[in-house]
Amino acid sequence: MQASGSFTVNERQMLTAVNTAASTLSMVGSAFIVLCYILFKELRKFSFKLVFFLAFSDMFCSLFNIVGDPSKGFFCYAQGSSTHFFCVASFLWTTTIAFTLHRTVVRHKTDVEDLGPVFHLYVWGTSLAMTLIRAIGNDYGRIGGWCWPEVGRTGKVVHFITFYAPLWGAILFNGFTYFQVIRMLNNATRMAVGMSDRSHQFDSRADMKALNRWGYYPLILIGSWTFGTINRIHDFVEPGHEIFWLSFLDVGMAALMGLFNSIAYGLNSSVRRAICERLDLWWPDRLRWLPRFIRLRGQQQEANELVSLKVQEQQ
């Protein structure tokens, strides 16, 4: 039997299963970061607060993906719009993290915490505007395991403009920002070597390890949405001729974005140390060596992660 489009019923059921499984993993990972922020007061610093809102957006984006395909009408419309809103908010929060790092490390500004209200206006306002523009005149219908706007070529262009254009804009911004920060720290390291300033050289190398790690984070968005972008372009060029393997990668990788973000941005040494400190209090004496070992490793690595960079030292 053929379902809507060129996929069989079995293929669409498989896409639904992949979407549900990947979205569940993302929701669990994001919810874990949200819970850590709520439970551990020592994590409630400005830099990790941005990670909290990133995880919050990922959690609801994944939740509405899991909701699936309710009946046509209001619930289908609400599911599609909510998913779009929180997914856009997710990658916009990554730009605020990159901007905060750049403003602190490159421009040596200490006023990033004052920009919190501006970040909220930028992220939530832009997400709402993109969602409303995409929703105007679109009729949402069921497609596999989620609701999607049933539109023609014009609607597909609007969808590309309201989602994929800001997405790739965020990717380019994050990549350029991290490149500038890494280049500046690399130059500082070379200057320290030339001046034989061992203490400054050590600090710069620690910062370089951190920024080299964070420099890979734009790849999360690239990996999550490259197949989706290719799939949308293919659907625009050849409507009604979907490629199953491309849709499989599109659905699976996009739904895993929240899991990738929670691991990369949220599961840092400060979070691990806070967890291990609680485990030291709760675990029996014979098992205490395990959290202590993990905690010592986390303390050695802490200097190499964003949460302990000069961003927080200057706040």
Side-chain angles (χ1 to χ4, degrees):
M1 293 180 59
Q2 286 293 125
S4 58
S6 58
F7 293 149
T8 66
V9 172
N10 288 336
E11 287 174 336
R12 290 199 174 276
Q13 289 176 346
M14 186 177 299
L15 292 178
T16 301
V18 170
N19 173 71
T20 302
S23 297
T24 300
L25 291 175
S26 290
M27 189 180 71
V28 171
S30 302
F32 176 77
I33 301 303
V34 170
L35 186 63
C36 287
Y37 179 84
I38 295 174
L39 294 179
F40 305 144
K41 294 182 179 180
E42 62 267 32
L43 296 178
R44 299 176 191 174
K45 299 179 180 180
F46 181 73
S47 58
F48 198 79
K49 185 180 295 185
L50 299 179
V51 176
F52 162 75
F53 284 111
L54 169 62
F56 179 85
S57 300
D58 283 330
M59 182 176 65
F60 278 95
C61 176
S62 301
L63 173 63
F64 286 109
N65 264 332
I66 295 173
V67 168
D69 52 352
S71 59
K72 288 187 177 181
F74 173 78
F75 290 106
C76 190
Y77 182 88
Q79 190 264 354
S81 298
S82 299
T83 303
H84 186 272
F85 175 85
F86 284 107
C87 286
V88 172
S90 172
F91 61 73
L92 291 181
W93 277 117
T94 67
T95 64
T96 67
I97 296 173
F99 176 85
T100 299
L101 184 62
H102 180 273
R103 187 170 180 83
T104 304
V105 176
V106 177
R107 301 188 62 186
H108 305 290
K109 301 290 185 179
T110 60
D111 60 345
V112 287
E113 192 166 357
D114 298 333
L115 299 176
V118 178
F119 288 164
H120 282 283
L121 181 62
Y122 154 68
V123 173
W124 304 125
T126 303
S127 301
L128 179 61
M130 295 297 99
T131 303
L132 291 177
I133 294 173
R134 175 177 178 256
I136 294 175
N138 288 343
D139 180 22
Y140 281 81
R142 298 169 58 186
I143 298 183
W146 51 92
C147 285
W148 206 252
E150 297 179 335
V151 295
R153 296 177 71 89
T154 302
K156 293 176 182 178
V157 171
V158 172
H159 174 56
F160 203 92
I161 293 174
T162 57
F163 187 86
Y164 288 97
L167 167 67
W168 286 96
I171 292 173
L172 292 175
F173 174 82
N174 290 351
F176 179 74
T177 299
Y178 286 121
F179 171 77
Q180 283 195 320
V181 174
I182 292 173
R183 184 178 63 176
M184 192 214 72
L185 291 177
N186 192 32
N187 291 337
T189 301
R190 285 199 291 264
M191 290 179 60
V193 172
M195 297 171 60
S196 298
D197 187 345
R198 294 184 178 273
S199 62
H200 181 71
Q201 180 179 347
F202 177 80
D203 292 341
S204 298
R205 286 179 177 176
D207 288 346
M208 275 301 301
K209 291 180 180 179
L211 269 299
N212 282 333
R213 180 173 181 264
W214 279 77
Y216 291 108
Y217 289 173
L219 297 179
I220 295 176
L221 291 178
I222 295 175
S224 297
W225 293 106
T226 295
F227 295 108
T229 305
I230 297 173
N231 203 16
R232 297 291 84 74
I233 295 175
H234 176 268
D235 183 55
F236 183 81
V237 176
E238 297 187 27
H241 295 83
E242 296 96 340
I243 302 175
F244 176 73
W245 67 265
L246 183 59
S247 296
F248 184 92
L249 293 173
D250 172 11
V251 172
M253 295 302 295
L256 286 173
M257 179 181 66
L259 178 64
F260 296 151
N261 284 336
S262 63
I263 295 174
Y265 288 91
L267 198 59
N268 54 47
S269 60
S270 292
V271 174
R272 295 195 298 271
R273 188 183 62 200
I275 295 173
C276 289
E277 288 176 353
R278 270 64 176 185
L279 292 178
D280 274 337
L281 298 176
W282 299 337
W283 283 29
D285 291 339
R286 65 180 183 275
L287 297 178
R288 287 196 173 194
W289 65 271
L290 179 59
R292 284 177 181 171
F293 171 74
I294 299 174
R295 182 181 61 189
L296 290 175
R297 280 190 67 186
Q299 288 175 342
Q300 293 173 352
Q301 295 173 352
E302 186 172 357
N304 299 331
E305 300 188 4
L306 176 69
V307 73
S308 60
L309 284 175
K310 298 175 183 177
V311 175
Q312 290 186 339
E313 296 177 0
Q314 296 174 352
Q315 292 176 0

